[in-house]
Amino acid sequence: MATMILLGTGTGLPDVDRGNTHMVWDGPGGPLLIDAGGSTYERLLRAGIDPQKLAGVVLTHSHCDHINGLPGLVFSMRLGGREDPLPIYGLDATLAIVQATMGAMQVEYHVPLEWQQLPPGSRLALDEGWQLLTAPTKHSRPCLALRFEQSATGRALVYSADTEPSPEVQELANGATVLIHEATTAEPFEGHSSPKQAGAVAAAAGVERLVLVHYSPRWTMAEEQALAAIRAGGFLGQAEIGRDGQRIEVR
């Protein structure tokens, strides 16, 4: 079974029931943490994932709401007795900022961290025929979109990460079973997407299911409006608003 668990689904300004957007791949080659948005150790436990058994961390970009939980996670892993190395994947620019952040907080590296470059166009082999592919997004900092794909069956889950509508992200999402796409703003805004724009990307990519994250009913728009905006963008498939703790199976 391949599942993505949404640990947080909110914007950079959280709501009472929506933490900063990050998630964990609970499937072949995992568990792989995708970003670390705060209270990550606790959120992993609530999701039924043992943080000590993480196979790695994939960082999409270096904005604070996507990396602020990493120092605390590593600190807690050390207290929990982890000794195995922890691979951390990301763009060079992302890794440089994260390394500086960890150093400034003087996190003791009793957990060996393996810093792994993950440029756009990467293909990282997982298990059971699954692979992780990357593409650049259109954001205010260098950022990666991710595609988890099983080549034998064509099943795929794509996460847009932070981006305005982008040809590269749309191409990465082509034919995906699930597209998890950000929807931060009510109207088009540089570096981010609206629900309507997310719907248009999903429609153009021909995905089966669209799940909005990096979304707030308070700061973006009400849920009913967001779902209507997705339809206005042209997407007629299964559409929904992501929830903290939600499990998304790739069937």
Side-chain angles (χ1 to χ4, degrees):
M1 179 68 69
T3 304
M4 186 72 85
I5 307 174
L6 305 180
L7 301 178
T9 57
T11 66
L13 186 57
D15 294 299
V16 67
D17 57 350
R18 292 180 181 276
N20 295 144
T21 291
H22 60 305
M23 57 199 71
V24 60
W25 172 253
D26 186 20
L32 281 173
L33 178 66
I34 314 300
D35 289 339
S39 302
T40 303
Y41 198 101
E42 176 188 2
R43 287 176 182 262
L44 286 167
L45 290 174
R46 289 185 179 183
I49 302 294
D50 183 353
Q52 301 293 344
K53 294 182 179 179
L54 281 176
V57 179
V58 180
L59 300 175
T60 63
H61 68 294
S62 62
H63 273 142
C64 182
D65 54 317
H66 293 263
I67 65 171
N68 70 76
L70 188 61
L73 173 67
V74 172
F75 181 75
S76 295
M77 292 174 82
R78 177 179 71 83
L79 293 178
R82 174 156 177 154
E83 297 179 352
D84 293 337
L86 179 67
I88 299 179
Y89 302 91
L91 295 163
D92 284 344
T94 301
L95 296 183
I97 289 176
V98 172
Q99 287 171 319
T101 301
M102 302 284 275
M105 296 189 72
Q106 298 183 352
V107 176
E108 298 179 18
Y109 288 178
H110 290 193
V111 177
L113 301 180
E114 296 181 344
W115 304 97
Q116 303 284 337
Q117 298 177 11
L118 193 68
S122 293
R123 188 181 300 266
L124 182 65
L126 302 175
D127 295 330
E128 300 177 24
W130 285 83
Q131 57 187 346
L132 171 61
L133 300 93
T134 65
T137 82
K138 200 169 182 181
H139 192 47
S140 56
R141 288 189 184 178
C143 184
L144 288 174
L146 309 175
R147 179 182 178 108
F148 292 85
E149 175 185 273
Q150 187 180 49
S151 54
T153 64
R155 293 184 298 161
L157 178 145
V158 173
Y159 171 43
S160 72
D162 283 18
T163 187
E164 62 186 87
S166 155
E168 291 84 0
V169 174
Q170 180 179 309
E171 181 178 355
L172 189 72
N174 278 344
T177 311
V178 181
L179 171 59
I180 302 172
H181 200 289
E182 74 120 287
T184 308
T185 58
E187 300 295 334
F189 185 85
E190 185 176 358
H192 285 290
S193 299
S194 69
K196 182 177 180 179
Q197 289 175 317
V201 171
V207 306
E208 297 178 15
R209 179 183 179 189
L210 172 63
V211 182
L212 297 188
V213 296
H214 215 279
Y215 159 87
S216 166
R218 181 177 183 185
W219 306 116
T220 309
M221 62 178 65
E223 292 190 17
E224 297 79 7
Q225 290 178 294
L227 293 172
I230 289 172
R231 300 302 185 209
F235 182 65
L236 302 179
Q238 181 180 350
E240 61 198 271
I241 308 298
R243 313 279 182 189
D244 287 22
Q246 182 179 354
R247 305 177 67 89
I248 301 172
E249 297 180 357
V250 188
R251 299 181 182 276

